[in-house]
């Protein structure tokens, strides 16, 4: 299978070749976006990401074989326009509660009630998390990028990715450990952020 | 289970519908098709260009053109030979008498056109693969041009692969599934499709002089620096404008007469067959790229049959031999009483949910429209 960078390079002379990139990653972009802005908007983000990517294909760094960080970076930027929608999606996740968790995962967590509490805590923590931390966390968890990939997507140094992810994880952990009062936990998480960045 | 693992699990079972994936793919292809034909032609032409007109040369010519515009630059350096000029003049007269029967209210000018041309592609470290593609469409121009125009555009299809063994690469570039999709159906007042103005879509006919000398000068000026040579590009513009079928009769006549003033224009083939019709080919060899640009005219009626580009020398890295047709277009105009129903200004973009008048994929215009 040819590398993504080959496809992008080829699309310079043969634009239709770019469709291969869509076939490879459209669904992954959708899944990432659907978690953040809901299925309805994820359709748009999926489509728009590739249109923007096609227009900017000359800006892709072809020394990087994997196009996913670039594509997820575009999708992330596009979703910033939908921050209010995203906030609602987190509320929706709170409303869904345990219903959002696959059955086997509920078993692993312990009980449906535990899962309910954990999901609500995570959703509330994500909602209140600083955007930059949330972007890094969700690119890592939902776009399945590694630290290097997240760094490429957000165009930040890997060290910064590491500190943002650590902070985001700590926020999540703190929230879920006191899941019954998620808002209070998030405040606690924010205090941590302030302490770290100081 | 830690938080990240739980977070990952929350995303599962979220998958786009097939319909949504198809729609997104169509939107992407729509975008690709907007740029593709232009880029391909440019690539093809550029490849065989030895040297373009430099910036200094371009400026110098602008100066000369501005200075000579009133006097008439067209015709100053000679023009078509007498036989070609005679055929072009006959065609110019025919433009008035033959093609331009006035439309009655509610009727449409129906322009059916198809273009077949050679293009090429290359995958990394692979050979250059030449293949032929076809673009065809049906355009319905209303009697009152301010009314809705309808344009039915077929998907680009691959005719054949010219480089042995290139079939797989071509299939990757133009998947059969894309070639089999429904035509794109567009509808817009003034023919202003894809967010273009009527002028940018079809040409600013109003600003084009009807006097052939001035028209040719106008073309030289507006195409300065483009194409392989000023004369070659002028003939390309004339052929492109005629091929559209939308230019009014007086402009078509002026274009044909302007072609007769381009140096080097001769009868290049008196038995040119195009899409099953035989006519007289009038054209000019572009020494810069080894292609001969031709307009093909029915010698008895003067009616335009189409245009073509013929390779005068074998084209390297392809199976194109001297004398092979590199590109041809045929156009057939008629008058019809009805146009197909349906269609939107942006066609496939609108099917993807875009706001009319804006182009899918631009930052302010997501395929789903503004929310």
């Amino acid at each position: 299978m040819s590398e993504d960078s080959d496809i992008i390079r080829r699309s310079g002379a043969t634009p239709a070749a770019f469709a291969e990139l869509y076939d490879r990653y459209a669904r992954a972009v959708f899944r990432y976006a659907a978690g953040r802005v809901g299925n309805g908007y994820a359709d748009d983000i999926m489509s728009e990401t590739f249109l923007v990517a096609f227009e900017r294909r000359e800006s892709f760094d072809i020394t990087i074989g994997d196009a996913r960080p670039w594509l997820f970076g575009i999708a992330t930027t596009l979703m910033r326009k939908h921050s209010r929608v995203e906030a609602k999606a987190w509320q929706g996740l709170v409303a869904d509660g345990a219903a959002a968790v696959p059955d086997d995962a509920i078993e692993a967590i312990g009980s449906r009630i535990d899962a309910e509490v954990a999901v609500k805590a995570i959703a509330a923590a994500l909602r209140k998390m600083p955007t930059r931390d949330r972007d890094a966390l969700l690119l890592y968890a939902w776009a399945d990028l590694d630290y290097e990939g997240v760094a490429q997507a957000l165009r930040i140094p890997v060290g910064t990715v590491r500190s943002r992810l650590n902070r985001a994880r700590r926020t999540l952990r703190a929230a879920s450990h006191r899941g019954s009062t998620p808002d209070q936990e998030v405040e606690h998480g924010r205090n941590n952020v302030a302490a770290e960045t100081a | 289970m830690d938080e990240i693992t739980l977070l990952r699990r929350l995303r599962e079972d979220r998958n786009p519908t097939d319909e949504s994936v198809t729609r997104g793919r169509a939107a992407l292809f729509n975008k690709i098709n907007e740029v593709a034909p232009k880029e391909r032609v440019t690539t093809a032409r550029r490849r065989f260009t030895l040297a373009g007109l430099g910036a200094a040369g371009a400026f110098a010519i602008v100066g000369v053109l501005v200075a000579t515009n009133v006097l008439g630059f067209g015709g100053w350096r000679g023009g078509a030979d007498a036989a070609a000029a005679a055929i072009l003049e006959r065609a110019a007269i025919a433009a008035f008498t033959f093609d331009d029967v006035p439309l009655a209210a509610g009727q449409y000018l129906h322009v059916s056109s198809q273009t077949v041309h050679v293009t090429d592609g290359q995958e990394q470290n692979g050979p250059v693969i030449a293949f032929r593609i076809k673009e065809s469409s049906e355009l319905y121009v209303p009697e009152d041009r301010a009314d809705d125009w309808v344009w039915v555009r077929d998907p680009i299809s691959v005719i054949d692969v010219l480089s042995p063994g290139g079939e797989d690469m071509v299939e990757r570039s133009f998947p059969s599934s894309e070639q089999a999709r429904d035509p794109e159906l567009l509808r817009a007042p003034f023919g202003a499709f894809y967010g273009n103005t009527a002028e940018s879509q079809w040409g600013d006919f109003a600003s084009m002089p009807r006097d052939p000398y001035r028209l040719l000068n106008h073309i030289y000026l507006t195409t300065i620096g483009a194409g392989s040579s000023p004369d070659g590009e002028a003939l390309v513009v004339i052929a492109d404008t005629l091929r559209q079928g939308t230019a009014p009769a007086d402009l078509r006549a002026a274009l044909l007469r302007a072609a007769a003033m381009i140096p080097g224009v001769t009868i290049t083939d008196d038995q040119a067959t195009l899409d099953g019709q035989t006519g007289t080919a009038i054209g000019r060899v572009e020494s810069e790229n080894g292609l001969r640009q031709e307009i093909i005219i029915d010698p008895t009626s003067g009616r335009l049959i189409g245009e073509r580009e013929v390779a005068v020398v074998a084209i390297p890295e392809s199976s194109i031999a001297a004398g092979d047709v590199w590109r041809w277009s045929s156009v057939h105009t008629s008058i019809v009483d009805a146009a197909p129903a349906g269609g939107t200004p942006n066609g496939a973009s609108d099917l993807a949910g875009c706001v009319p008048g804006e182009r899918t994929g631009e930052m302010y215009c997501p395929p789903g429209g503004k929310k």
Side-chain angles (χ1 to χ4, degrees):
Chain A
M1 195 164 89
S2 54
E3 288 208 47
D4 299 340
S5 50
D6 296 337
I7 296 174
I8 295 166
R9 183 163 39 199
R10 213 165 68 222
S11 73
T14 311
F18 200 83
E20 201 174 331
L21 213 59
Y22 181 87
D23 294 340
R24 280 187 187 181
Y25 299 126
R27 287 178 168 79
V29 170
F30 177 92
R31 281 193 291 274
Y32 168 62
R36 298 190 64 162
V37 293
N39 287 22
Y41 283 91
D43 282 344
D44 297 349
I45 298 294
M46 172 178 73
S47 176
E48 203 179 345
T49 294
F50 287 88
L51 296 176
V52 170
F54 177 72
E55 277 196 338
R56 299 188 189 163
R57 63 194 188 283
E58 284 175 11
S59 71
F60 177 74
D61 179 355
I62 54 170
T63 60
I64 299 169
D66 184 359
R68 288 182 315 132
W70 179 59
L71 292 169
F72 284 121
I74 292 170
T76 303
T77 305
L78 291 174
M79 277 187 285
R80 293 209 178 112
K81 288 189 300 189
H82 298 298
S83 57
R84 288 170 70 183
V85 176
E86 187 173 11
K88 280 189 181 168
W90 303 132
Q91 285 169 3
L93 191 56
V94 171
D96 289 347
V101 184
D103 286 346
D104 66 311
I106 288 179
E107 221 165 273
I109 292 166
S111 71
R112 184 159 287 277
I113 291 171
D114 292 338
E116 181 86 21
V117 169
V119 169
K120 288 188 175 182
I122 283 178
L126 284 169
R127 182 156 58 96
K128 299 226 170 165
M129 194 178 280
T131 307
R132 57 177 195 261
D133 291 358
R134 189 169 56 226
D135 283 347
L137 175 66
L138 295 179
L139 284 167
Y140 178 75
W142 284 354
D144 295 323
L145 297 181
D146 57 14
Y147 282 31
E148 186 64 41
V150 175
Q152 285 164 13
L154 297 177
R155 296 183 192 167
I156 54 176
V158 177
T160 309
V161 171
R162 194 167 287 121
S163 67
R164 285 186 190 178
L165 279 175
N166 283 342
R167 199 159 55 214
R169 276 182 161 174
R170 210 168 303 147
T171 304
L172 277 184
R173 195 168 303 139
S176 57
H177 285 167
R178 301 188 201 174
S180 53
T181 54
D183 279 2
Q184 191 188 326
E185 282 313 314
V186 170
E187 289 310 315
H188 176 68
R190 279 190 169 174
N191 290 340
N192 279 354
V193 172
E196 263 181 42
T197 46
Chain B
M1 179 178 287
D2 71 12
E3 294 75 21
I4 294 281
T5 311
L6 176 57
L7 187 57
R8 285 190 200 277
R9 301 299 309 269
L10 292 178
R11 182 207 49 174
E12 287 175 8
D13 302 328
R14 285 184 179 271
N15 277 302
T17 60
D18 288 346
E19 187 201 349
S20 144
V21 173
T22 306
R23 205 166 52 223
R25 205 167 195 279
L28 177 60
F29 260 92
N30 187 49
K31 186 99 207 156
I32 288 170
N33 288 340
E34 279 173 23
V35 303
K38 199 193 218 167
E39 284 189 0
R40 287 197 192 99
V41 171
T42 307
T43 309
R45 285 182 178 161
R46 194 170 289 152
R47 170 174 298 185
F48 306 106
T49 297
L50 300 175
L53 196 58
F59 280 120
I61 289 191
V62 168
V64 172
L65 285 171
V66 169
T68 58
N69 191 31
V70 179
L71 301 172
F73 186 70
W76 181 57
R77 295 170 297 131
D81 70 14
I87 296 268
L88 286 166
E89 179 57 28
R90 191 185 303 165
I93 293 165
F96 283 113
T97 56
F98 196 84
D99 269 349
D100 236 43
V101 181
L103 297 177
Q107 285 188 322
Y108 293 83
L109 179 69
H110 176 219
V111 183
S112 171
S113 62
Q114 56 178 329
T115 296
V116 170
H117 66 96
V118 177
T119 184
D120 58 48
Q122 183 180 24
E123 289 178 344
Q124 192 194 20
N125 301 326
V128 173
I129 305 298
F131 53 104
R132 292 196 299 168
I133 58 176
K134 180 167 106 171
E135 297 169 66
S136 56
S137 74
E138 309 275 327
L139 178 68
Y140 297 82
V141 183
E143 183 263 331
D144 179 348
R145 295 196 172 200
D147 287 344
D148 281 354
W149 296 33
V150 177
W151 197 14
V152 185
R153 302 182 71 193
D154 295 321
I156 291 173
S157 61
V158 175
I159 301 289
D160 53 11
V161 179
L162 302 173
S163 306
E167 288 76 9
D168 290 348
M169 192 227 78
V170 172
E171 174 64 24
R172 284 191 289 275
S173 299
F174 289 88
S176 310
S177 57
E178 286 304 321
Q179 297 181 44
R181 71 186 159 86
D182 289 337
E184 183 176 23
L185 185 55
L186 298 128
R187 169 182 294 272
F190 293 105
F193 303 113
Y194 301 118
N196 293 323
T197 62
E199 289 75 24
S200 63
Q201 181 91 46
W202 302 107
D204 186 3
F205 299 148
S207 77
M208 297 171 85
R210 300 313 197 250
D211 173 85
Y213 284 95
R214 287 177 182 274
L215 177 59
L216 185 56
N217 289 344
H218 173 88
I219 292 170
Y220 281 136
L221 278 169
T222 50
T223 61
I224 197 85
S228 298
S229 69
D231 289 335
E233 188 62 14
L235 192 59
V236 167
V237 167
I238 289 170
D240 283 352
T241 310
L242 291 171
R243 183 181 65 237
Q244 281 179 193
T246 53
D250 59 344
L251 179 57
R252 292 204 307 277
L255 286 165
L256 290 159
R257 287 173 174 142
M261 294 175 196
I262 297 175
V265 168
T266 59
I267 292 178
T268 48
D269 185 353
D270 56 8
Q271 288 293 310
T273 304
L274 189 76
D275 197 19
Q277 300 181 80
T278 302
T280 304
I282 289 159
R284 179 182 171 280
V285 174
E286 178 54 68
S287 57
E288 295 290 339
N289 64 8
L291 292 175
R292 194 171 72 217
Q293 172 79 44
E294 298 176 332
I295 295 167
I296 301 179
I297 290 165
D298 180 333
T300 48
S301 69
R303 195 175 61 80
L304 179 78
I305 295 174
E307 51 133 344
R308 68 179 187 182
E309 280 175 83
V310 180
V312 290
V313 291
I315 290 175
E317 297 174 324
S318 80
S319 54
I320 301 284
D324 283 353
V325 176
W326 172 264
R327 169 196 185 95
W328 63 262
S329 302
S330 69
V331 55
H332 186 77
T333 54
S334 59
I335 295 169
V336 294
D337 292 329
T344 57
N346 304 293
S349 298
D350 291 325
L351 287 182
C354 197
V355 176
E358 295 179 338
R359 285 184 180 231
T360 309
E362 291 178 0
M363 293 290 283
Y364 52 82
C365 179
K370 287 176 185 169
K371 297 290 190 294

